[in-house]
Amino acid sequence: MSSATTDRIPLLALIGLVEDNDELLIALHLNRLRTLCRTWPLAILQNVAAMAVILGFSLLGDSREMLIQKSVACAAPLLVAVVIGVSLHHGITRQRPLYQLKQQLGVMSLVQSLATGPLLFIVAHDHHGADGWGSALALACAMWVTAAMLNPVRAAMVGYSFGFAFLAPIAALAWGIPVLPILAGVVPALLLLVVKAIRMGQLDYATARAREQEFGQGLQAVKMIAEFEEHGTGWFWETDRQGRLTYLSRKVADDLAASGIASAGRLLTDLFQMDSSAPGSERTLSFHMASRTSFSDYTVCAVADGPVTERWWSISGRPIIDSVGRFRGFIGSGSDLTEKRRSEAEITRLALFDSLTGLANRQRMKLSLDKTLKQSVTPYRPTALFLMDLDRFKAVNDTLGHPAGDLLLQQVARRLEQVVGDVGLVGRLGGDEFQILLPGIDARDRLASLANEIIAALSHPYDIQGNEVTIGCSIGIAIAPQDGADSQTLIRNADLGLYAAKGDGRGVHRFYAEAMLEGARSRKRMEEDLRVAIAQGQFHLAYQPVVSTRDSQVVGFEALLRWNHPTQGAISPGQFVPVAEECGLIEQIGEWVMRTACTEAASWPHPARVAVNVSSIQFAKPHLPALVAQALAQSGLDPARLELEITESVFLNDSQESERQFAALKALGVRLALDDFGTGYSSLGYLRHAPFDKIKIDQSFVRGAIRTGSRNAAIIRAIVTLADTLGMETTAEGVEIQDEIALIRDLGCSHIQGFVYGRPAGQSEVHRILGELDGRIEPIGLKSNRRPRAKILRAAQVLSGSATIDVRIRDLSSTGTMVEGLPPAYVVCGAAVGMRIGTDKPLRGYIRWEREGRVGIAFANPLPEDHPWLDIGDTGEDQRQIA
């Protein structure tokens, strides 16, 4: 057998073909015992034949006494042979331990050999008297010793036949006994012994062939196992009684050696340690090795003091017990789990981490937040949650492309990680939304400082593909448990804080306050009411005249949307239009306005123009030109009479798309007006490319223009000069004082729009102005700038939800007021509030702006001129504020 085959012999034990050397010896003895059982009837037949010959000759001349003695002497070995055969068969059948069978055979073979002694003694005594008994007994002992020297099992096999066939003739010749009667017994015994030997040889040959076949199968199995070990993921191991490795597949041994770990002769528990996080690992390898119990599919890795190559295996093992019940060690198998665990880790990473930035994704942030909020630590640890939106990120995507946007998000992620560090967990929820989880922090000053640091860090310029990009971010903050004890509530409240931050001009942070939730609920109720209003036709249009400064002739009307709520009455567009834009209803409402304005304008008695506002959301829709064309076709309105008022916010979108949209609208023949010029995102570049027919100067420049020292007049003049140069008309919005008409005319504006020529009116009033008055209307209202708003200092109360907050009034007008002292928690732009002075009935309003601790509240319905609130002493100074 080759050395390679010898090395593989322990492996054959795995498939039950061969055992170790002791087991081979046990198997050999068991085969001999089985052979003995099969040939034992021949031994009994030998005894019977010998006894028959001897007794046959004794009948011819021996006395009756001698005949009885010889019969007893012949029956003794026969009885022993029968007992041996029955006992051996019974022992093998009951699977008695081998050492017991060998002891039994040794005793039986001794007894059987000694049993031939009386027969030889009787024969010798018959011829030589008592002197022959010693020689006969010595011959019997010599017979057994000779047989026992061969093998205890072989001694039992030959037994009586060996002694009788070979020693009896020698004794007869030595004692002068007649040879004939001895030969008569010897010849049959010899013949049966030959038959028995042939049969034993046949059985031994068959056994040898079987063993050779088994060994050949074992070699084949060794080759297959070697191939499996070499190219498969599985491997094998074996230990001795002390748990030291006696065999380990080469590839595993090489992996351990590459990590500086020698495996030869080492304890299994010194080489491998279990993965405590794996399921079913309550019991250790040491436990199973000590208790000698089986184990299956345990995940282990190499034990090492220093850094090693991370490899993982799954191992199984069972104890080895030999046929006599002795523990021989452990044997088992294993498989490589390294790639599987890497794949699982990658799957986990993809499931819990954002693929673009490497930050935690929405699922991991949700799991981490749930785990943090469900902690059982006493006292309860607070948890803060930041919800963030990037400001002006969409502009980067639209101008530089999505790859640049991805690079920007990656840089934002790195900056967030640097600022937050180990204090919290940073995650990306998707798009430009980020979230930061901060366990154990509830100090508002510390959170505010961190938020400001984040805003400052993200506001620094970025280098994106050679382009300098600047963005910002807005942050909403909620703190558990006071702002929510579960993740859903906390996220919602942080989102409300973010909404407030964006409503306050972006680039700031806001903590959640209960008033925000009330504002959100108010917006939700308004959204539901808007859907009902659209379905039930609760909207109507009011028209405000646009008057020429040259001849005071009405040249057109601006269509203004109005909503009469069935229970709340008239609701200002400043309240419901932002809500409609957020919930996606502005397109549906805008379409209704477009069709209604065109239809009603077509019925006017004089061909005046009608102006319709187009939101930036509407303008971004590709089907807007088709909608306008359809409205014109259905109403029959001349396209030149339709003027679309567009705000500067449309230029934040893709410039190429904007240019295509402008070209498509101008191709219809409609007029385009740039609304609210001078605020927000004003840029002369827009005027250079966009085909506007008119510029509408925002009312913030008109108001106060007649005051001494005001710069508004100079700004209006500059805008008018620019418009004239570009061939555009100009309309001054928000003119309320008759004295302002002359100033606007002197500054060169071509048109005026404002309360000075009346408030927006219905369709019947438009027909009256264009029909009865032939388009000529006279200014109304105050002739000069008479305190439209008084600067005062008076105590009042603001009602927000169920809360009543004491504040101070600074400015008051018929449309609104400015207050001080309203806590930031209740300052939510757009939130509905009540306003009460003294014991009067509170008026409905909403928060419109907040600056430096001062809050502007607009009344839902303007106060009449004779309202007692307006009868307050004047300071003599006009302090107009936009409420």
Side-chain angles (χ1 to χ4, degrees):
M1 184 181 300
S2 66
S3 60
T5 303
T6 305
D7 293 339
R8 296 291 178 184
I9 282 181
L11 295 178
L12 300 179
L14 293 171
I15 53 176
L17 295 179
V18 299
E19 305 289 343
D20 58 11
N21 293 335
D22 289 343
E23 296 295 330
L24 287 172
L25 184 59
I26 292 173
L28 179 61
H29 287 314
L30 285 175
N31 282 331
R32 289 176 178 175
L33 291 176
R34 293 189 183 98
T35 301
L36 181 59
C37 285
R38 294 176 183 177
T39 60
W40 199 255
L42 293 176
I44 296 176
L45 185 59
Q46 284 179 313
N47 289 332
V48 172
M51 183 179 67
V53 171
I54 292 173
L55 294 180
F57 279 100
S58 297
L59 289 174
L60 296 177
D62 289 343
S63 62
R64 180 179 181 183
E65 181 181 357
M66 182 60 67
L67 182 61
I68 293 174
Q69 291 178 359
K70 289 184 178 182
S71 298
V72 173
C74 290
L78 177 62
L79 180 61
V80 174
V82 172
V83 172
I84 289 177
V86 173
S87 177
L88 183 61
H89 182 271
H90 182 268
I92 294 177
T93 304
R94 294 296 181 89
Q95 297 183 350
R96 288 182 180 175
L98 181 61
Y99 72 94
Q100 292 184 6
L101 292 176
K102 292 174 68 176
Q103 291 176 358
Q104 181 180 345
L105 281 175
V107 174
M108 290 296 182
S109 62
L110 174 61
V111 173
Q112 186 190 27
S113 299
L114 293 178
T116 60
L119 178 60
L120 296 176
F121 175 76
I122 293 172
V123 174
H125 185 275
D126 188 26
H127 294 279
H128 299 282
D131 296 336
W133 71 269
S135 299
L137 185 59
L139 288 173
C141 290
M143 176 190 67
W144 179 83
V145 171
T146 303
M149 289 175 62
L150 298 176
N151 191 280
V153 179
R154 292 297 184 185
M157 287 182 178
V158 297
Y160 170 76
S161 301
F162 180 83
F164 190 82
F166 294 98
L167 297 182
I170 297 174
L173 293 174
W175 295 332
I177 302 174
V179 178
L180 183 60
I182 297 300
L183 292 176
V186 169
V187 171
L190 286 174
L191 292 176
L192 290 174
L193 183 60
V194 171
V195 173
K196 182 177 180 181
I198 294 173
R199 179 59 178 160
M200 289 174 61
Q202 291 175 342
L203 292 174
D204 285 345
Y205 178 75
T207 300
R209 289 296 303 272
R211 298 299 297 176
E212 182 179 357
Q213 184 177 2
E214 288 181 357
F215 190 73
Q217 293 176 352
L219 291 179
Q220 183 66 24
V222 168
K223 294 179 181 178
M224 295 175 65
I225 291 172
E227 183 69 17
F228 178 74
E229 284 187 315
E230 187 70 23
H231 301 289
T233 59
W235 48 277
F236 304 102
W237 58 274
E238 188 178 39
T239 70
D240 58 14
R241 294 180 178 89
Q242 287 74 37
R244 298 185 181 276
L245 283 174
T246 57
Y247 179 82
L248 182 65
S249 295
R250 182 174 292 110
K251 61 182 178 182
V252 180
D254 292 343
D255 288 340
L256 294 174
S259 301
I261 304 174
S263 58
R266 297 279 298 277
L267 291 173
L268 184 71
T269 53
D270 288 345
L271 291 180
F272 300 109
Q273 63 180 0
M274 292 179 57
D275 181 9
S276 58
S277 63
S281 57
E282 293 81 6
R283 294 181 175 179
T284 63
L285 280 178
S286 301
F287 170 83
H288 288 286
M289 300 298 286
S291 60
R292 300 177 181 178
T293 54
S294 301
F295 56 91
S296 178
D297 297 330
Y298 275 12
T299 301
V300 298
C301 64
V303 176
D305 296 333
V308 296
T309 303
E310 184 178 359
R311 299 198 68 86
W312 293 90
W313 297 278
S314 172
I315 65 171
S316 302
R318 63 176 179 85
I320 306 173
I321 307 298
D322 61 18
S323 59
V324 297
R326 293 177 299 177
F327 171 69
R328 304 301 302 248
F330 269 83
I331 196 168
S333 61
S335 60
D336 198 325
L337 295 180
T338 304
E339 292 303 323
K340 179 181 178 182
R341 286 179 68 97
R342 287 176 182 170
S343 300
E344 291 176 348
E346 180 64 15
I347 293 173
T348 301
R349 188 189 70 80
L350 293 176
L352 298 178
F353 291 87
D354 178 56
S355 59
L356 176 64
T357 62
L359 300 176
N361 62 7
R362 183 184 296 271
Q363 180 181 357
R364 187 188 174 197
M365 293 301 295
K366 177 68 164 55
L367 293 174
S368 299
L369 182 58
D370 287 337
K371 182 178 179 180
T372 302
L373 295 179
K374 290 179 181 179
Q375 58 188 318
S376 58
V377 179
T378 302
Y380 189 89
R381 293 180 64 206
T383 299
L385 183 68
F386 283 13
L387 200 60
M388 303 169 45
D389 256 358
L390 300 183
D391 301 331
R392 302 183 296 279
F393 174 75
K394 186 177 184 300
V396 177
N397 262 349
D398 293 340
T399 57
L400 300 181
H402 289 282
D406 291 344
L407 293 175
L408 177 59
L409 289 174
Q410 292 173 351
Q411 293 190 29
V412 167
R414 302 291 80 79
R415 292 190 185 185
L416 285 175
E417 288 180 322
Q418 290 175 1
V419 174
V420 177
D422 298 332
V423 176
L425 176 64
V426 182
R428 176 175 175 244
L429 305 183
D432 62 341
E433 291 184 278
F434 293 83
Q435 193 177 76
I436 302 176
L437 178 62
L438 300 163
I441 303 177
D442 64 346
R444 288 181 172 249
D445 54 348
R446 182 180 176 188
L447 293 174
S449 176
L450 179 60
N452 290 331
E453 189 176 352
I454 290 174
I455 293 172
L458 298 188
S459 299
H460 288 303
Y462 300 82
D463 183 7
I464 306 296
Q465 298 176 338
N467 298 298
E468 184 176 288
V469 175
T470 302
I471 60 171
C473 77
S474 304
I475 302 177
I477 307 173
I479 306 173
Q482 56 265 36
D483 294 340
D486 59 273
S487 60
Q488 184 176 359
T489 304
L490 198 64
I491 293 173
R492 181 202 66 189
N493 292 341
D495 190 45
L496 291 174
L498 175 60
Y499 183 87
K502 291 190 290 187
D504 289 347
R506 301 178 180 270
V508 295
H509 71 273
R510 289 291 180 266
F511 287 92
Y512 165 76
E514 288 188 20
M516 296 179 183
L517 180 58
E518 180 59 32
R521 289 171 177 168
S522 177
R523 288 191 297 271
K524 181 63 177 176
R525 289 192 297 267
M526 184 171 291
E527 177 184 340
E528 295 171 353
D529 291 345
L530 280 173
R531 297 184 187 278
V532 174
I534 294 173
Q536 296 181 357
Q538 296 176 6
F539 295 111
H540 70 276
L541 294 181
Y543 296 93
Q544 187 174 40
V546 178
V547 181
S548 171
T549 57
R550 182 173 55 85
D551 55 8
S552 299
Q553 185 77 20
V554 175
V555 297
F557 292 87
E558 180 180 359
L560 301 174
L561 181 62
R562 293 294 182 264
W563 178 21
N564 287 325
H565 193 279
T567 59
Q568 301 179 27
I571 299 180
S572 170
Q575 288 182 268
F576 69 82
V577 169
V579 176
E581 290 179 339
E582 289 177 12
C583 64
L585 294 176
I586 194 64
E587 290 184 64
Q588 196 171 353
I589 295 175
E591 182 178 348
W592 179 86
V593 171
M594 183 72 67
R595 296 182 186 278
T596 303
C598 290
T599 301
E600 293 183 352
S603 67
W604 292 347
H606 184 75
R609 294 196 294 258
V610 60
V612 178
N613 288 279
V614 177
S615 72
S616 58
I617 297 176
Q618 268 185 293
F619 186 83
K621 301 301 178 182
H623 60 266
L624 176 63
L627 169 63
V628 175
Q630 190 179 30
L632 291 172
Q634 290 177 348
S635 64
L637 183 69
D638 183 1
R641 292 180 56 194
L642 178 61
E643 189 171 83
L644 302 181
E645 295 189 1
I646 302 170
T647 61
E648 295 169 323
S649 59
V650 301
F651 296 104
L652 291 178
N653 298 323
D654 185 6
S655 59
Q656 294 183 353
E657 289 295 328
S658 300
E659 290 177 5
R660 282 193 288 266
Q661 197 80 306
F662 280 126
L665 293 173
K666 289 299 293 183
L668 297 175
V670 301
R671 292 169 54 86
L672 299 178
L674 179 58
D675 197 12
D676 298 334
F677 183 77
T679 62
Y681 309 97
S682 298
S683 171
L684 298 181
Y686 302 154
L687 300 179
R688 183 179 57 187
H689 298 291
F692 289 111
D693 300 287
K694 177 190 287 188
I695 294 177
K696 299 190 70 175
I697 303 173
D698 188 71
Q699 61 183 345
S700 61
F701 297 111
V702 175
R703 291 177 178 175
I706 62 174
R707 291 208 315 263
T708 303
S710 174
R711 298 181 179 181
N712 289 2
I715 295 175
I716 295 174
R717 187 184 301 278
I719 296 174
V720 170
T721 303
L722 175 64
D724 289 342
T725 303
L726 297 176
M728 300 178 185
E729 298 177 353
T730 51
T731 297
E733 294 183 288
V735 180
E736 299 180 358
I737 309 300
Q738 293 186 30
D739 291 348
E740 294 174 343
I741 296 177
L743 174 65
I744 296 300
R745 183 184 297 115
D746 293 341
L747 292 175
C749 284
S750 57
H751 298 90
I752 289 177
Q753 179 181 346
F755 289 167
V756 70
Y757 285 110
R759 294 182 178 277
Q763 178 78 339
S764 60
E765 180 64 15
V766 174
H767 278 268
R768 190 183 73 84
I769 293 174
L770 295 179
E772 297 179 9
L773 303 180
D774 195 24
R776 297 189 64 86
I777 56 177
E778 296 296 330
I780 60 175
L782 298 175
K783 183 174 178 57
S784 60
N785 190 20
R786 296 173 54 201
R787 63 175 183 88
R789 173 165 300 185
K791 184 174 179 63
I792 64 173
L793 181 62
R794 181 166 180 175
Q797 291 179 325
V798 172
L799 310 180
S800 177
S802 59
T804 301
I805 305 100
D806 293 328
V807 297
R808 296 179 303 276
I809 294 179
R810 283 290 186 182
D811 291 332
L812 180 66
S813 73
S814 61
T815 59
T817 182
M818 182 181 73
V819 301
E820 292 180 344
L822 188 63
Y826 296 94
V827 179
V828 181
C829 290
V833 296
M835 190 73 202
R836 179 166 61 195
I837 298 179
T839 59
D840 291 347
K841 182 179 179 181
L843 293 179
R844 291 187 302 106
Y846 66 95
I847 296 177
R848 185 168 181 182
W849 57 265
E850 184 274 333
R851 287 192 297 270
E852 299 178 355
R854 297 184 176 185
V855 179
I857 298 178
F859 298 142
N861 298 305
L863 300 177
E865 295 294 336
D866 59 349
H867 195 280
W869 286 11
L870 297 177
D871 188 19
I872 302 176
D874 188 7
T875 61
E877 181 182 0
D878 180 20
Q879 297 290 338
R880 300 178 63 88
Q881 297 284 343
I882 302 173

